Amino acid sequence: GIQVEQSPPDLILQEGANSTLRCNFSDSVNNLQWFHQNPWGQLINLFYIPSGTKQNGRLSATTVATERYSLLYISSSQTTDSGVYFCAVPQTSGSRLTFGEGTQLTVNP
Amino acid sequence: SAVISQKPSRDICQRGTSLTIQCQVDSQVTMMFWYRQQPGQSLTLIATANQGSEATYESGFVIDKFPISRPNLTFSTLTVSNMSPEDSSIYLCSVRTGAEGAQHFGDGTRLSIL
């Protein structure tokens, strides 16, 4: 099946800094999702982004499907951005998601 | 996107007992998914719950340990049976909705077994 790798595994920032998280996948996919898991365990949808670029406030994501990677950009980070960021892709069209191992982000005040 | 309600949000259970987790969606969905997240780990799919047929289990998960019900298109339950400390995890319900088919998750059930 499709393998998903995320980097870096851990990231520590000072409030106000920018960051880029990366997600590589081993085969063609028809969609990709980014999630944020907050410290209470809630998994929040950030982006559904099979290709191209999307922006939502301080966050944006770009997927280059032909090169099998996606990037999540966080600008002007805040302490509330702390948590684990996961990317996930489906194994086959419309099927269940396979998750990467996540990036643990800590934003210090 | 769908509103997904999970109950209970957390529980502490004794080993050897069973717990049933409920997942309610505010709209009809074809497929519902149950995931497990062990401490410090990523999410792993347990099974896909299909209405009108038996659930489809992933490798390493069996029906006797994780029986699933799907009585209608808005509701599903997952039971964690004969629990041991290794079952301490967050269990999450998920559905696919909308034209894009994006997946959305409930808030999860944080389960601790003593």
Side-chain angles (χ1 to χ4, degrees):
Chain A
I2 297 175
Q3 305 298 312
V4 181
E5 293 184 355
Q6 290 186 242
S7 60
D10 298 278
L11 187 58
I12 299 174
L13 302 174
Q14 287 299 123
E15 202 167 24
N18 303 327
S19 62
T20 300
L21 282 58
R22 187 176 180 102
C23 173
N24 293 329
F25 41 96
S26 61
D27 205 345
S28 300
V29 297
N30 60 7
N31 76 61
L32 183 145
Q33 289 185 250
W34 282 98
F35 297 90
H36 173 218
Q37 188 168 40
N38 64 26
W40 297 270
Q42 295 172 316
L43 204 62
I44 310 299
N45 269 309
L46 296 178
F47 294 102
Y48 173 92
I49 182 164
S51 63
T53 297
K54 290 186 178 180
Q55 180 148 10
N56 184 2
R58 296 181 296 104
L59 273 60
S60 65
T62 295
T63 296
V64 184
T66 54
E67 297 187 23
R68 301 178 185 171
Y69 73 89
S70 184
L71 302 174
L72 178 69
Y73 306 96
I74 304 174
S75 64
S76 304
S77 58
Q78 301 176 358
T79 56
T80 52
D81 294 330
S82 296
V84 183
Y85 290 81
F86 290 103
C87 70
V89 300
Q91 283 292 328
T92 57
S93 177
S95 75
R96 45 76 166 189
L97 294 176
T98 294
F99 281 76
E101 292 301 307
T103 293
Q104 173 76 58
L105 176 65
T106 303
V107 181
N108 292 321
Chain B
S1 63
V3 176
I4 306 167
S5 303
Q6 255 186 261
K7 293 194 297 186
S9 59
R10 59 176 61 233
D11 208 340
I12 301 173
C13 300
Q14 297 295 320
R15 69 177 67 202
T17 63
S18 299
L19 179 75
T20 296
I21 302 167
Q22 298 180 2
C23 180
Q24 179 76 53
V25 189
D26 69 344
S27 58
Q28 293 186 338
V29 294
T30 303
M31 288 196 290
M32 297 175 76
F33 305 91
W34 287 100
Y35 288 81
R36 180 178 74 180
Q37 186 180 27
Q38 294 178 300
Q41 304 290 316
S42 186
L43 281 76
T44 301
L45 182 69
I46 298 171
T48 302
N50 306 303
Q51 196 270 333
S53 63
E54 284 200 0
T56 304
Y57 289 83
E58 298 298 308
S59 176
F61 297 96
V62 295
I63 188 171
D64 289 347
K65 176 67 176 177
F66 298 101
I68 288 171
S69 78
R70 182 82 197 272
N72 57 53
L73 292 175
T74 64
F75 186 79
S76 178
T77 67
L78 169 75
T79 299
V80 186
S81 303
N82 189 24
M83 289 184 284
S84 67
E86 293 71 35
D87 294 319
S88 297
S89 297
I90 300 174
Y91 293 86
L92 298 107
C93 166
S94 171
V95 303
R96 291 178 64 238
T97 64
E100 293 179 329
Q103 283 201 23
H104 301 269
F105 286 79
D107 285 347
T109 297
R110 191 180 294 269
L111 186 56
S112 299
I113 291 86
L114 303 179

